[in-house]
Structure formats: C-alpha cells, structure tokens
C-alpha cells in the first residue's frame, strides 16, 4: 500500500511539474504577404505576420513564451486581449504586449491579470466591463516590425513563472539600492518620428516610485529630442518626474503610483529624433528604502520566492538566495 501511495504521489508531482500548456504552431494562420514552411514563418514586407487563436481565460498561467531560432529582421512575438484601446494614429486597436526576437533563444510576456477591461470588445459591445485582460486572451501573434523578417518556432507555452525560468526565461529581480537593472541593450537609430521601441511590462514588476529610467545615447544631432511615450496611443507619458538629458543620456523618475501601475501593465515606449539609443536601465536610488529581502540576502542560505516572501528549503520553484536567482527542485 505504501508503495502504491508513493507511486501516486510521484505521478501527481510529475503532472504538477509539467502543468504548462503547449500551443501548436499548426494553428498559425498567415496574413497577407506571409507564409509558413513547416515551423518557419516568413514575413515578406513591413508589419506582416500571422496569429494563433486562443479565445479563452488564461489567468491560471503567469507567462506565455516562445522558443525560437534563426530569427532575422527582429520579428515580434505578441499576445492580444479582447479589449479596445484608442490609438491616435489608427483609432481603436486591441490591447496587446510584444517581445522582440533575434537570433535564437526564448522570450516571454507576463499575462496581464491586473488591468481591468474598460468597455469590452466589438462583439460583446461592452458586456465585458469589469473583467481583467487575462480572462480574455484573443490570440498570439508573430509579426515583423519594419521590414522583411523570418523566424523558426521551436515551441510556444503558457505556464508559471517557475516553468518559464526553467525553459531559459528571464524574470527580473530588483537590484539593491544604488544598483541597476538592464531593460534593453543594443543600437537603435532614431532618425524619424516613425521609429519607436518598447520595454516589456515584465521589467517594471520590480520597479517602485522614485526609481529612475536611465537611457544611454550616442551620435546626438542638432535635432536631439527624446520622449517617453504612452505605449497605447503615442501620447506623452504622464508621471515622469525630473526629466534630464545631455549628449550621453536622458532620464526620468517614476513619479506616481498611476504611472507605476501603467508601466507594470503595459511597458514603456520611446520615440524621438536625432540620437541612437544604446541602453535602457532601471536605476535604484542609493537612498531607496532597504527592504528585508535586500538586507538578509547577505546571510547564508536565506531563501525568498519571487514575491519576496521568505521560504524554507522544502520550497520548490524559483528562489533568490544570497542575491542570486536559482531553481530549487
């Protein structure tokens, strides 16, 4: 009897450890000027791509992520919710979040289970008021963002934060006071108002009011004009305080609770003229309040989960111990 019980417990744990749900690429429907060969998606022109329908409540999961290879042209992996937003250029558009793909790797998007729908979708004519985005996942998308692009899809999953990290995903950890977290690094030339880029919402999960968004730049021209923008409608972002700029950087502090909540739900867009963006960081002021998790990480073998709660050695999943993130199996 004991042996049978042990086997049943082992089977249950195995099922729990593999609770993530795989989404088949066979459901991908190309839009115009996009084709799929096996699991390779080829986007022939600007902003072409396709989608995989979901159409159900996904609040039981924390992240959706894609494993990919041979990505060229910086295509985006995205999730779309059944919620309309107003966009100054295009009118009503569905709410969405995206993550850029380059080369080979894994990128994920945290499912928005905080933002409440304001007026439902076109089909329900507002019946969805009061529901959260995560209950109304419309589709996943793979789309170019400014030219021809392609990517080979290895796998797509919905799952927990622990499962995402186990697959190679990046879940941010808040730095200590005086430290910084890199949100993006590369080289993007802002030579026209049509150029923009975004920082995914997941990186702001560890942000607090007073933290500084610090952007390094080079090749500054006479028309140098960087702007923090609303990711949904291209309006200027409200709540950025103490904006400063010089020929090497521009920066601004997260000044309000409303802005922090917006960034955690939507992410951040940049737009501007006359510069090349090379790095975006979240800088923690040196005089920021030192929390228990930051004080005690100096002690040996003290463990915390991603919510900052202290756990013991039996806890399974992603933990932070001695200032480092690891998986305890």
């Amino acid at each position: 009897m004991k042996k049978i019980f042990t086997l049943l417990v082992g089977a249950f744990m195995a099922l729990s450890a593999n609770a993530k749900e795989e989404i088949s690429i066979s459901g991908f429907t190309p839009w115009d000027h996009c084709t799929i060969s096996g699991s390779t998606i080829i986007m022939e022109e600007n902003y072409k791509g396709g989608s995989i329908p979901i159409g159900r409540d996904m609040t039981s999961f924390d992240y959706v992520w894609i494993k990919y290879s041979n990505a060229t042209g910086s295509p985006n992996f995205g999730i779309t919710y059944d919620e309309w937003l107003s966009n100054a250029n295009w009118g009503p558009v569905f709410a969405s979040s995206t993550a850029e793909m380059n080369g080979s790797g894994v990128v994920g998007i945290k499912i928005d289970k905080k933002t409440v729908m304001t007026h439902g979708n076109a089909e329900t004519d507002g019946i969805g008021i009061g529901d959260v985005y995560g209950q109304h996942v419309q589709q996943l998308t793979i789309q170019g963002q400014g030219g021809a692009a392609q990517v080979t899809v290895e796998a797509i999953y919905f799952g927990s934060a622990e499962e995402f990290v186990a697959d190679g995903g990046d879940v941010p950890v808040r730095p200590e006071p005086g430290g910084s977290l890199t949100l993006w690094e590369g080289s993007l030339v802002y030579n026209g108002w049509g150029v923009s880029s975004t920082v995914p919402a997941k990186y702001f999960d560890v942000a607090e009011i007073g933290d500084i968004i610090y952007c390094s730049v080079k090749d500054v021209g006479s028309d140098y004009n960087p702007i923090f923008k609303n990711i949904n409608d291209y309006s200027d972002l409200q709540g950025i305080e103490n904006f400063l700029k010089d020929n090497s950087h521009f920066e601004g502090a997260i000044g309000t609770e409303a802005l922090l909540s917006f960034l955690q739900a939507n992410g951040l867009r940049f737009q501007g003229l006359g510069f090349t963006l090379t790095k975006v960081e979240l800088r923690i002021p040196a005089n920021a309040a030192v929390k228990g998790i930051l004080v005690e990480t100096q002690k040996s073998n003290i463990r915390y989960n991603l919510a900052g709660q202290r756990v013991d050695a039996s806890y399974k999943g992603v933990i932070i111990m001695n200032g480092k993130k690891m998986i305890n199996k």
Side-chain angles (χ1 to χ4, degrees):
M1 185 68 180
K2 182 176 180 181
K3 184 175 182 181
I4 293 174
F5 176 77
T6 303
L7 288 172
L8 288 173
V9 171
F12 174 77
M13 291 182 66
L15 286 172
S16 299
N18 294 283
K20 66 184 180 184
E21 178 179 332
E22 184 169 4
I23 303 300
S24 175
I25 189 61
S26 65
F28 181 82
T29 301
W31 305 329
D32 61 322
H33 300 284
C34 176
T35 58
I36 180 169
S37 175
S39 60
T40 298
I41 299 169
I42 303 163
M43 295 147 274
E44 300 170 4
E45 299 179 6
N46 293 0
Y47 307 112
K48 303 302 179 181
S51 63
I52 301 173
I54 301 298
R56 56 192 171 97
D57 184 344
M58 304 303 278
T59 50
S60 61
F61 302 108
D62 298 322
Y63 281 87
V64 59
W65 64 94
I66 182 171
K67 289 185 173 183
Y68 66 91
S69 59
N70 304 315
T72 60
S74 300
N76 278 340
F77 174 61
I79 183 172
T80 303
Y81 304 98
D82 283 329
E83 161 64 328
W84 289 105
L85 294 167
S86 176
N87 184 287
N89 293 332
W90 305 307
V93 296
F94 280 109
S96 63
S97 296
T98 61
E100 187 176 289
M101 297 177 284
N102 286 292
S104 299
V106 55
V107 295
I109 301 169
K110 187 173 183 180
I111 297 170
D112 188 344
K113 295 185 280 189
K114 294 182 180 179
T115 304
V116 176
M117 298 176 70
T118 57
H119 51 274
N121 60 37
E123 286 71 30
T124 63
D125 193 28
I127 293 175
I129 291 174
D131 295 338
V132 299
Y133 280 15
Q135 293 177 5
H136 295 269
V137 176
Q138 180 194 68
Q139 62 184 6
L140 303 177
T141 59
I142 296 174
Q143 183 179 14
Q145 58 164 338
Q150 74 173 48
V151 62
T152 298
V153 178
E154 308 293 344
I156 300 174
Y157 297 104
F158 281 89
S160 66
E162 291 84 357
E163 289 164 333
F164 176 44
V165 171
D167 270 354
D170 175 26
V171 176
V173 174
R174 181 173 174 81
E176 297 185 11
S180 67
L181 175 67
T182 298
L183 310 182
W184 178 87
E185 192 166 13
S187 182
L188 184 60
V189 180
Y190 284 76
N191 55 6
W193 288 108
V195 179
S196 69
S197 59
T198 61
V199 174
K202 68 173 184 177
Y203 290 112
F204 294 101
D205 280 347
V206 299
E208 296 179 1
I209 293 176
D211 291 350
I212 298 166
I213 303 171
Y214 189 98
C215 307
S216 299
V217 300
K218 66 178 183 179
D219 302 331
V220 170
S222 59
D223 55 351
Y224 176 38
N225 185 20
I227 303 175
F228 293 106
K229 303 294 282 190
N230 184 314
I231 197 170
N232 296 322
D233 62 11
Y234 287 88
S235 62
D236 290 355
L237 196 62
Q238 302 299 311
I240 291 287
E241 295 184 347
N242 302 320
F243 181 82
L244 298 170
K245 71 173 184 178
D246 59 28
N247 288 347
S248 65
H249 88 289
F250 62 95
E251 67 178 84
I254 300 173
T256 66
E257 187 66 43
L259 174 57
L260 179 60
S261 296
F262 176 86
L263 294 172
Q264 290 175 339
N266 300 280
L268 172 65
R269 184 187 299 277
F270 297 99
Q271 208 170 4
L273 285 173
F275 65 97
T276 298
L277 183 66
T278 60
K279 190 175 184 179
V280 181
E281 301 169 79
L282 184 71
R283 293 195 170 184
I284 314 303
N287 61 351
V290 179
K291 299 187 176 182
I293 182 172
L294 298 176
V295 172
E296 293 189 0
T297 50
Q298 302 304 312
K299 300 178 182 178
S300 176
N301 298 328
I302 294 178
R303 305 165 185 235
Y304 297 88
N305 62 19
L306 291 177
Q309 300 164 325
R310 187 167 174 172
V311 296
D312 61 25
S314 66
Y315 179 84
K316 306 300 182 185
V318 181
I319 62 170
I320 303 168
M321 185 169 67
N322 296 328
K324 297 182 179 180
K325 183 172 62 177
M326 61 191 71
I327 299 174
N328 194 36
K329 298 182 178 180

